[in-house]
Amino acid sequence: MSRVLVGVKRVIDYAVKIRVKPDQSGVVTDGVKHSMNPFCEIAVEEAVKLKEKKFIKEVVAVSCGPSQVTETIRTALAMGCDRGIHVEVSGKDYEAMGPLQISKIFAALAKKEEASLVILGKQAIDDDCNQTGQMTAALLDWPQGTFASEVTIDGETVKVVREIDGGLETIKISMPAVLTADLRLNTPRYATLPNIMKAKKKKIANMKPADLGVDMVSRVEVLRVDEPPTRLAGVKVETVDDLVAKLKANGTI
Amino acid sequence: MLSLDSSRKTLGLCVSGCRSLSSLAELPEMHQMMRQTCRDYADRELGPIAGKLDKEHLFPAQQVRELGAMGVMAVEVPEALGGAGMDYLAYSLAVEEISRGCGSTGCVVSVNNSLYIGPILKFGTQKQKEQWITPFTTGEKVGCFALSEPGNGSDAGAASTLARQEGEEWVLNGTKAWITNSWDASATVIFATTDKSLKHKGISAFLVPMPHPGLSLGKKEDKLGIRATSTANLILEDCRIPLGNMLGSRGSGFKIAMQTLDSGRIGIASQALGIAQAALDCAADYAHKRTAFGAPIGKLQAVQFKLADMAVAVESARLLTWKAAMLKDAKKPFTKEAAMAKLAASEAATFCGHQSIQVLGGMGYVTDMPAERHYRDARITEIYEGTSEIQRLVIAGQLLKEYAS
């Protein structure tokens, strides 16, 4: 049990108001504040915690995209990851990049790095796909513990408490495995100033998808992006009878 | 975002060509990361409680510990002594971001870093550094700086607190006034006259643990702003400390105080910038949301002119502050620039605090919005660590020296 791969995605910051491009091809990203996907932060924190508890020896942070993603990798290094891998994807390939391409890249890297665990955020806050973890596990034919709110390593197995619609489900899976982090798994640490200094010296390796034998061709084409419809003002009613009458009148019941 | 190569170049520019515009316009990657982590902390942990800390005069002990764990309580201290090992520019950014969340917490950070740790780092022996700095890097303990007296603030050379040697001890007697962090501190750097005949060359600096026999605290002052910090008199009555507690050489106290305040000015400038920025943020946000005459008030020129003036005041003070910090990091003279930074930033803070309330109108006057707290917090920055009037004297003095034939 030595190495964990953690995926980190650079996304538009959660606090930014999203605007659709005038040509409706996507959202405005130029000059907009970006940061690490919050679920990826939780994934990094879990990996670093496992290393601090001495279950694993090395945490490798991976991100796919143009040169700007090295910021995100460096934040992961400042949180305690040991080294980073930047898989360069830019231009049209980057715009079309989705869970299928990413999971192929992660599967190839997991084999190459001989990882015991791949830990990802459950989903990214920009596309909300919630697919990469599951696809990666399927491509590797590894067990998966998704929506994890608690992870315990016991020898060669992992006990995962999963948040599901009905409550909590506890499963036991063997390693190597893929885990995806849910909100309550942990509270990510702030990067400390000494760790930011140390992050400067940690290595980030560069590679291209072709180096891993991955083709970036997308099977999905985005036709149009629209703003959500403007929310109309609500109507206040005085009594339950009024409410029932109104719902009947507009055909809801 | 800078790549590693350009950030290395920029750092080089910082060191050798401090007047270079490009290094002032974009910060090196590490500094940007550091600024972001402090901003995240301030937004999530300080912003939500700042109002409560102010209303209830609460010292943010838990937050100070968390900031200590992040390295923010000892930014410039080398790692070997328990600090973050970063430069003064990083420290200035940290104080600004923390102050933007909570002006009082920014003050605690600044006093601990610049006024308490600063002189010990510069003038202390290795043993003194280990004893008096290392425990104060974690946020578990904070220090304070005792120069002002009831009889002299700006007139620092007239220190009437006395220190006499008795055998293997120094015995201190006198009163210090307006000491920030006093009720929460575990040690102080304190200035007392060892040779009255030498006037200001007869002042020496001492390290005194708190609490300590012979040292008592006056009542906590009820202040207009930065209410989460404690400010009180330090009363020394035959306070005995070992000879080894003298900081620097005998008679160098005034020099130590002045050099410490030079650096401290950059810290206070940064605190003022944070408060000014918070006031600007509040006003600009309100201008988007509040409608009057059928449109958001941000459409009105009167409001636009105010916001523009506030932004210019903050940004120009910020560049002055960064320049002073970069000069200090390059070990070049920075007295004039530090005074200019403190003057500009503190006046920007009071200006922005005032205009922010004006933009908010009635809402600015009530405690529901933070504008009134920024107005109150800003005011002290024009007074402590050298009043605006003293800053003008310092700047003029340096300037005239440059023009002397």
Side-chain angles (χ1 to χ4, degrees):
Chain A
M1 168 183 344
S2 56
R3 195 169 291 135
V4 168
L5 235 58
V6 180
V8 294
K9 187 178 182 186
R10 180 175 182 265
V11 298
I12 295 178
D13 187 83
Y14 76 90
V16 168
K17 186 172 192 309
I18 310 290
R19 285 192 328 261
V20 175
K21 282 196 235 183
D23 65 2
Q24 293 191 300
S25 62
V27 300
V28 177
T29 52
D30 273 346
V32 169
K33 181 172 180 220
H34 285 65
S35 43
M36 189 189 294
N37 180 40
F39 293 107
C40 298
E41 282 183 356
I42 299 175
V44 170
E45 175 67 25
E46 197 62 20
V48 173
K49 269 194 159 130
L50 288 174
K51 185 180 139 187
E52 286 170 348
K53 289 190 208 155
K54 303 216 193 300
F55 284 111
I56 50 163
K57 284 227 181 68
E58 196 187 28
V59 182
V60 183
V62 183
S63 195
C64 308
S67 58
Q68 292 96 318
V69 307
T70 51
E71 277 171 51
T72 316
I73 301 175
R74 217 157 284 283
T75 306
L77 296 175
M79 284 173 74
C81 297
D82 297 291
R83 59 183 167 89
I85 298 177
H86 171 206
V87 181
E88 290 174 29
V89 183
S90 50
K92 285 262 174 288
D93 279 348
Y94 179 59
E95 282 166 39
M97 194 173 77
L100 182 59
Q101 293 77 20
I102 303 291
S103 47
K104 285 181 180 174
I105 291 172
F106 276 132
L109 277 173
K111 286 201 206 116
K112 183 169 182 281
E113 293 285 339
E114 294 174 336
S116 321
L117 283 175
V118 175
I119 309 184
L120 307 170
K122 70 170 179 183
Q123 67 199 58
I125 60 170
D126 51 8
D127 54 24
D128 283 321
C129 286
N130 197 326
Q131 297 168 6
T132 305
Q134 292 86 338
M135 282 179 172
T136 308
L139 288 168
L140 287 164
D141 198 22
W142 285 6
Q144 56 184 259
T146 54
F147 308 98
S149 68
E150 205 184 301
V151 168
T152 321
I153 294 190
D154 183 12
E156 290 297 314
T157 64
V158 190
K159 186 181 90 173
V160 183
V161 178
R162 307 178 58 232
E163 297 204 9
I164 60 173
D165 287 348
L168 297 173
E169 180 193 57
T170 308
I171 60 171
K172 192 159 76 175
I173 54 180
S174 60
M175 302 217 284
V178 175
L179 305 174
T180 72
D182 208 326
L183 191 62
R184 279 158 282 272
L185 180 57
N186 59 49
T187 308
R189 63 194 63 192
Y190 291 99
T192 67
L193 271 49
N195 280 343
I196 292 173
M197 293 278 289
K198 289 196 182 102
K200 231 185 10 162
K201 301 187 191 118
K202 293 178 181 173
K203 288 201 172 16
I204 301 182
N206 274 48
M207 56 185 73
K208 294 201 159 50
D211 299 336
L212 297 164
V214 173
D215 90 79
M216 295 300 286
V217 171
S218 176
R219 277 82 168 156
V220 173
E221 186 195 337
V222 173
L223 297 175
R224 203 178 75 202
V225 179
D226 291 300
E227 297 247 359
T230 346
R231 219 180 132 171
L232 298 164
V235 175
K236 265 190 173 161
V237 293
E238 295 295 311
T239 67
V240 175
D241 289 332
D242 282 349
L243 175 63
V244 172
K246 275 226 151 49
L247 289 174
K248 278 193 178 152
N250 75 8
T252 312
I253 51 171
Chain B
M1 186 61 206
L2 295 177
S3 68
L4 276 180
D5 277 325
S6 50
S7 63
R8 250 183 249 127
K9 248 191 275 171
T10 315
L11 274 169
L13 281 169
C14 286
V15 170
S16 58
C18 288
R19 283 161 180 74
S20 161
L21 271 176
S22 61
S23 49
L24 285 177
E26 252 209 73
L27 296 167
E29 182 184 10
M30 220 175 49
H31 290 76
Q32 291 194 36
M33 285 180 70
M34 199 232 75
R35 193 184 197 190
Q36 190 59 51
T37 202
C38 289
R39 182 172 297 190
D40 288 342
Y41 186 86
D43 284 343
R44 292 181 211 157
E45 311 289 342
L46 294 174
I49 60 165
K52 178 170 187 232
L53 294 176
D54 169 73
K55 277 201 177 83
E56 298 178 25
H57 300 239
L58 290 172
F59 179 75
Q62 189 196 325
Q63 287 69 30
V64 167
R65 274 196 297 273
E66 288 167 2
L67 288 167
M70 284 167 72
V72 173
M73 296 306 287
V75 180
E76 229 197 344
V77 174
E79 280 191 66
L81 285 168
M86 295 184 96
D87 58 18
Y88 223 71
L89 178 60
Y91 164 63
S92 168
L93 295 166
V95 173
E96 183 187 335
E97 294 302 329
I98 298 301
S99 303
R100 189 182 186 185
C102 171
S104 299
T105 309
C107 178
V108 175
V109 172
S110 177
V111 168
N112 197 58
N113 269 281
S114 293
L115 297 186
Y116 172 71
I117 289 178
I120 307 173
L121 198 56
K122 193 155 184 201
F123 298 98
T125 61
Q126 183 59 28
K127 192 154 165 272
Q128 282 174 333
K129 289 181 198 177
E130 285 164 18
Q131 188 185 347
W132 300 91
I133 293 183
T134 306
F136 292 77
T137 59
T138 60
E140 290 295 324
K141 294 185 180 192
V142 296
C144 63
F145 178 87
L147 176 66
S148 291
E149 295 175 358
N152 56 272
S154 294
D155 189 9
S160 67
T161 304
L162 296 172
R164 67 172 191 278
Q165 188 175 345
E166 260 183 29
E168 295 301 304
E169 290 180 324
W170 289 107
V171 185
L172 275 60
N173 276 284
T175 311
K176 294 293 184 183
W178 311 119
I179 309 308
T180 309
N181 278 352
S182 42
W183 277 78
D184 307 292
S186 301
T188 180
V189 172
I190 193 164
F191 298 85
T193 298
T194 34
D195 300 281
K196 221 175 156 89
S197 57
L198 298 174
K199 300 241 178 81
H200 69 267
K201 291 214 172 108
I203 300 175
S204 306
F206 299 92
L207 297 161
V208 183
M210 291 164 76
H212 194 69
L215 187 146
S216 57
L217 298 171
K219 75 172 201 331
K220 271 196 218 182
E221 302 291 350
D222 186 9
K223 306 190 293 287
L224 175 67
I226 56 161
R227 303 228 285 223
T229 65
S230 56
T231 306
N233 284 6
L234 255 57
I235 302 146
L236 302 138
E237 292 164 305
D238 279 351
C239 178
R240 293 173 182 277
I241 47 173
L243 286 181
N245 282 29
M246 178 177 272
L247 179 67
S249 59
R250 185 173 177 145
S252 64
F254 188 76
K255 184 185 83 172
I256 293 175
M258 292 303 109
Q259 287 192 26
T260 303
L261 289 171
D262 265 356
S263 311
R265 268 159 209 167
I266 301 175
I268 296 305
S270 309
Q271 183 202 5
L273 286 175
I275 297 170
Q277 186 66 50
L280 172 55
D281 291 347
C282 182
D285 186 62
Y286 194 78
H288 266 306
K289 297 185 175 146
R290 170 73 177 177
T291 54
F293 304 101
I297 61 171
K299 297 269 181 214
L300 302 166
Q301 282 189 342
V303 173
Q304 288 180 357
F305 287 176
K306 283 184 198 303
L307 294 174
D309 287 341
M310 286 162 81
V312 170
V314 176
E315 194 60 33
S316 43
R318 183 175 289 133
L319 290 176
L320 271 172
T321 307
W322 288 5
K323 181 170 178 182
M326 284 156 70
L327 283 171
K328 177 177 196 286
D329 286 332
K331 303 206 194 307
K332 295 195 170 160
F334 65 95
T335 303
K336 183 182 76 169
E337 286 78 6
M340 291 168 94
K342 202 258 186 187
L343 178 62
S346 55
E347 290 190 347
T350 47
F351 174 72
C352 289
H354 180 111
Q355 293 302 333
S356 179
I357 293 186
Q358 201 64 15
V359 169
L360 267 64
M363 277 313 282
Y365 204 65
V366 295
T367 56
D368 300 48
M369 293 292 273
E372 59 83 29
R373 189 182 81 240
H374 300 320
Y375 179 78
R376 289 184 291 104
D377 282 349
R379 198 59 191 83
I380 190 62
T381 62
E382 282 204 55
I383 297 171
Y384 63 6
E385 285 194 49
T387 58
S388 298
E389 291 69 31
I390 291 289
Q391 303 307 330
R392 288 182 164 90
L393 290 180
V394 171
I395 296 165
Q398 294 291 318
L399 202 59
L400 289 168
K401 252 195 260 179
E402 287 167 23
Y403 283 90
S405 46

